[in-house]
Amino acid sequence: MATTIQSDIRSALHVANLIFINPNPILSRAIASSARRSFSPRPLLSSYRRISTPTSFRARAFSSESTEPVVKVPEKPPICTADELHYVSVSNSDWRPALWRYHPSPQAPPRNHPLLLLSGLGTNAIGYDLSPGSSFARYMSGQGFETWILEVRGAGLSVQGSTPKAVQQAAHEVSEQMEAVTKSMANGSLSADQQPSKVPSPVSDSRVSFVEEDPHLAGIVTVWDESKLVTKLTEVFMRLSERLSGFLSESQSKIMFAKLVDQIAKILEDSQLSERMTEIRGKLLSLLEARQNSAIAGQFRDLSQGLVNVIEEGQKSVSPQLFDLQERLSSTIEDFQKQLDLIVKYDWDFDNYLEEDVPAAMEYIRAQTKPKDGKLLAIGHSMGGILLYAMLSRCSYEGRDSGLAAIGTLASSLNYTPSNSRLKLLLPLADPAQALNVPVVPLGAMLSAAYPLSTRPPYVLSWLNDLISAQDMMHPELLEKLVLNNFCTIPAKLILQLTTAFRNGGLCDRSGKFFYQDHLHKSKVPVLAIAGDRDLICPPEAVEETVKLIPEHLATYKVFGEPGGPHYAHYDLVGGRLAVEQVYPCIVEFLSRYDLT
């Protein structure tokens, strides 16, 4: 038994290493079994503490149900269990964040404000709608709130596309792939013929497309085709130059460029060529520092030709001759191109969500629902709550109205330094230079790969479950659905910004100069902050640290869980057995107090 456990641990660590450094082609999201069970949670008293006496965006959208001037998408994909699916455009991006819409129950009392739900880091709308008996979104619509869930870019059914037809097609493709993988996982691991036809490496996200493999560069190339190699190298250098003002800082671009040239240099084993390699390296670096423009395109091509000539000389001079030299060079260029493509595809951070996705969604919801005072109610779980805090802080600093009548946060904080948060395990990139090796973190793939080892004997990774749900607090089928369906791929750029929440001063903007917690005390928006007593990701002390910054008369703070149990972990506040009985009514009571016009 000991030998078996040791073997499983080694296997788990190996899987984790492969996923972080060279992620496997496993889809990061999957659809779990369609069987859904309703259950009646048993009563439990919760602990209760209260600290209180008690840029605009013009959004063009696509939707499954349309009113002018919205462009109609005829059918929503099967994975979407909402009443309608809408898409909203954001500035400076071809991503289309998705909005799941739930109509209010006609039997419920009328409400004055729509409700916006924001999900956590690398998660989608499914966490708010796990099943008919465990659906926060359905519960709130049943209470009369017109409820919308925002899936920010890169999450869930958010897609890329410029036309309604392209958006609808992409959404259905994502849904089909999620369903297909679920069926495969229900029958065991994915077989080769069950893998999607275009699952790229190093991350398995079906929406990431790379340059198709050039048949002339595959296998052992027998003909030296300089024109193709020069074109490839020129494209790579141009792409890297473009990233100077984007994901990569100038110093990081130098590091990344140096890595590419070093990889090429290692292919050559003749020291006589090192001087020429150094010369070309210097000239290319000067062009990269000058940044991309039309004048240097030809220079990139000339230097690419020079680099190919050096490689050709190496082919002739290295003894014994390296017959696979061209194959190795082509492979190096292809791998580097894929890395750049990932960075380009997943090129956003927390501030993009805050300044673009969320405001665009809010404006669209206001246009659709027309609240009398123009305000929304909002609930955010984990990073969703952090976004709401950051919005209040930014608007207070700028003297703007946030457009929010009241907010609720579930397991959220702007500063994790007072706590022993395990979130650090999910934010592995403390050094920005690591982002060059790991441009994205496939959180969904990681959890999917680890899940069997956490739920089956000998349970070597059972501690992962504790990060998500406390013992016996989530139905096993719903926990499985949450793990397999709710998590997505996260760009390193986003993770790097979120790591500032673990430093002095708490979360800051991308410039590193604006600290979101510094201006929260100026906010005039009522806040309900909820924590779980056994939340290892956002412990109560982290939640309370942010609550202390809110004006006392506007802050309501509650911790759910009892010393003798049951307890609430990170996702139990949304999908736990007792949430529908304890947490949901608490939120309704709070929001109802401020649902006034």
Side-chain angles (χ1 to χ4, degrees), residues 206-219:
S206 60
R207 293 169 292 173
V208 180
S209 60
F210 298 123
V211 179
E212 295 291 334
E213 183 177 357
D214 190 333
H216 293 283
L217 300 179

Side-chain angles (χ1 to χ4, degrees), residues 51-183:
I51 304 175
S52 66
T53 35
T55 34
S56 91
F57 293 82
R58 180 171 300 170
R60 175 170 176 259
F62 313 106
S63 70
S64 57
E65 298 295 332
S66 177
T67 57
E68 294 298 325
V70 179
V71 181
K72 183 178 181 180
V73 172
E75 298 180 1
K76 62 185 179 68
I79 192 63
C80 178
T81 51
D83 298 322
E84 299 172 10
L85 179 64
H86 296 243
Y87 282 94
V88 62
S89 63
V90 296
S91 59
N92 304 319
S93 176
D94 61 350
W95 279 98
R96 299 292 179 262
L99 281 166
W100 295 35
R101 183 181 192 177
Y102 300 78
H103 295 304
S105 169
Q107 287 77 40
R111 304 288 183 175
N112 295 309
H113 298 94
L115 174 63
L116 171 63
L117 305 183
L118 300 177
S119 303
L121 173 65
T123 61
N124 56 42
I126 291 174
Y128 280 121
D129 193 8
L130 283 170
S131 76
S134 182
S135 171
F136 181 67
R138 286 291 176 192
Y139 183 94
M140 298 306 288
S141 66
Q143 295 294 315
F145 294 98
E146 180 166 329
T147 303
W148 300 72
I149 310 174
L150 172 62
E151 290 186 315
V152 292
R153 66 188 76 181
L157 292 176
S158 67
V159 296
Q160 292 177 296
S162 57
T163 66
K165 182 177 180 180
V167 169
Q168 177 178 305
Q169 181 178 351
H172 279 269
E173 288 175 356
V174 172
S175 178
E176 291 170 2
Q177 288 161 358
M178 293 168 74
E179 290 176 321
V181 173
T182 298
K183 294 177 182 177

Side-chain angles (χ1 to χ4, degrees), residues 464-533:
L464 283 175
N465 292 344
D466 295 335
L467 295 178
I468 299 172
S469 177
Q471 186 174 4
D472 298 327
M473 280 296 284
M474 190 173 287
H475 193 287
E477 286 188 0
L478 298 185
L479 178 60
E480 180 179 1
K481 181 175 182 178
L482 186 72
V483 171
L484 298 181
N485 299 342
N486 190 49
F487 296 94
C488 313
T489 296
I490 311 170
K493 188 175 181 180
L494 169 61
I495 293 177
L496 291 174
Q497 186 173 354
L498 289 176
T499 58
T500 63
F502 290 87
R503 302 171 192 165
N504 292 335
L507 182 71
C508 61
D509 70 353
R510 66 169 67 98
S511 73
K513 299 177 181 179
F514 185 90
F515 292 84
Y516 289 108
Q517 69 175 20
D518 288 352
H519 305 280
L520 201 56
H521 67 281
K522 304 174 187 176
S523 174
K524 298 179 181 179
V525 177
V527 175
L528 169 66
I530 293 178
D533 67 326

